[in-house]
Amino acid sequence: MTDLAAPLRRAAPALLGYAAVRTLGLVVLAVWSAARGKSAYTLLTARWDALWYTRVADLGYGYEVRLPNGDVHSNLAFFPLLPWLERALHAVSPLSYADGGFVVSLLASLAAAWGIFAVAEHVYGRRAGVCAVLLWAVLPVGIVQSMAYSESLFTALAAWSLYAVLTGRWLTAGTLALLAGLTRPVGLAVVAAVWVAGIVSFASSTASTAVTPSASAAAPSFVRDRSAAPAPGARGWRCALGMLIAPLGAAGYVLWVGHRTGKGPLGYLDVQAGWRNGFDGGAAFARFVGEKFTSFPSALAGVGLIVGVGLVLWLYVVGVRQGQPLPLLVYTGVVTALALCASSYFGSKPRLLMPAFPLLLPLALALARARTSRSAWVVGGVAVASAVYGAFWLNGSGPP
């Protein structure tokens, strides 16, 4: 407990700030929903993807909906970790599956906030860590962090896996990457980060061994916690085992879906095709944006989309220039590419980008360098705007 108490005390300002922002969002959602005669809790736990997850938890896999246009929406598209946790909570408590999903998301969002703080503090210091968490909390689609969706759970696993990589804890990194791969398809981004970091570690170890056998010299540059780096030989087998473990979650589920559908290793792609999801390099998204310029009102939305994509790309480039550790750049690059270049429902892209929290690090660093009063006003103002937008969004079209 003593080992956990000190890191928790360091993260306390970030976690308290995060809880305050999310509480504000939930209060505004409750008031807005009540004014419209809707249940805020239902919006958070029993719509869109949340329903698909609870059906998996309740009935298992095999449920599908056939649409008039011939598309088949199968629940095999949804990875199993969140439904497993919902089922486990239902089995040991009076909570329903939907209640379980809500509890998991609340706890996972706090774990994600702590993981984001740990990564940002490790790279840029405590103040930047607090700012990174607050920026993640006030994202326009931050309300999704409180929904019975898998984004919070995935972000928590990804953030802590990346932190484990940055501190040379390879078995932990691989295990968390495995679990992330059981949560969302974008778990491949965590696997890629672990693998690239592992390859660099082996290359660094090989190069350093010719000069010195010390563990410190053999550790790659992104492993800044030298106390976490074991002797070269021990790190080698742990790194190799972590890399071996990392892809087992995603690969295991995809192969199981292929076996269940009888379509082999590519069966999961057929399942996603039934949802009209695929990877086309961003062609469909580009057409979607281009179509916005066919009339004046929608042209404003098109400009907004272009500015948004430009901002995402700019933040990534700034992260590269600021020398973010390679594992973070790899992870962010894969998450961003999968979000922007997929042919899935375009309204989902903001929440698909939400796990790419390293994009916020340049802004967090700038905020950390500003005066505390100025930073507080900025975060407070954006938090109010985010809460209002989240309530409006969820009571309208919302995220599918």
Side-chain angles (χ1 to χ4, degrees), residues 113-326:
W114 192 357
I116 292 170
F117 170 81
V119 170
E121 182 197 32
H122 181 78
V123 178
Y124 293 124
R126 187 184 187 192
R127 188 176 174 89
V130 173
C131 292
V133 170
L134 294 177
L135 288 173
W136 192 67
V138 302
L139 288 173
V141 294
I143 191 64
V144 173
Q145 297 162 18
S146 301
M147 296 179 67
Y149 272 40
S150 60
E151 273 78 6
S152 290
L153 178 60
F154 173 79
T155 304
L157 294 168
W160 283 108
S161 179
L162 291 170
Y163 179 73
V165 167
L166 294 177
T167 54
R169 296 170 171 87
W170 297 106
L171 294 181
T172 300
T175 301
L176 292 173
L178 182 155
L179 294 173
L182 286 171
T183 307
R184 296 186 62 81
V186 75
L188 293 173
V190 189
V191 176
V194 172
W195 270 73
V196 169
I199 291 171
V200 171
S201 178
F202 277 117
S204 175
S205 177
T206 301
S208 299
T209 301
V211 179
T212 174
S214 69
S216 178
S221 60
F222 53 78
V223 179
R224 298 186 180 179
D225 183 359
R226 301 302 186 188
S227 63
R235 190 184 68 250
W237 74 260
R238 290 181 182 178
C239 179
L241 185 55
M243 292 174 66
L244 180 65
I245 292 172
L248 295 183
Y253 181 69
V254 168
L255 291 175
W256 178 81
V257 170
H259 173 73
R260 183 182 176 99
T261 59
K263 296 183 178 179
L266 301 181
Y268 182 77
L269 297 181
D270 289 337
V271 170
Q272 286 287 2
W275 288 80
R276 294 189 180 271
N277 291 337
F279 189 88
D280 62 0
F285 185 43
R287 288 194 299 270
F288 173 77
V289 174
E291 290 169 358
K292 295 294 182 182
F293 291 93
T294 57
S295 62
F296 172 71
S298 63
L300 297 177
V303 172
L305 289 170
I306 292 175
V307 171
V309 172
L311 177 61
V312 168
L313 298 178
W314 177 77
L315 287 173
Y316 186 78
V317 171
V318 173
V320 173
R321 291 178 175 175
Q322 290 180 343
Q324 281 188 21
L326 182 61

Side-chain angles (χ1 to χ4, degrees), residues 17 44 47 61 69 80 82 85 110 112 125 171 179-180 206 236 262 288 294 329 352-353 357 374 385:
L44 293 168
R47 294 183 71 188
Y61 286 105
N69 65 356
L82 177 57
L85 294 175
L110 288 171
L171 294 181
L179 294 173
T206 301
F288 173 77
T294 57
L329 295 175
L352 295 180
L353 283 167
F357 66 89
R374 181 177 298 176

Side-chain angles (χ1 to χ4, degrees), residues 5 16 32-33 35 78 90 100 104 107 112 119 129 145 165 167 171 184 192 226 234 250 287 302 319 325 349 385 392:
L16 291 173
W32 192 300
S33 301
F78 296 88
H90 175 71
V104 169
L107 296 178
V119 170
Q145 297 162 18
V165 167
T167 54
L171 294 181
R184 296 186 62 81
R226 301 302 186 188
R287 288 194 299 270
K349 292 193 181 296
F392 166 79

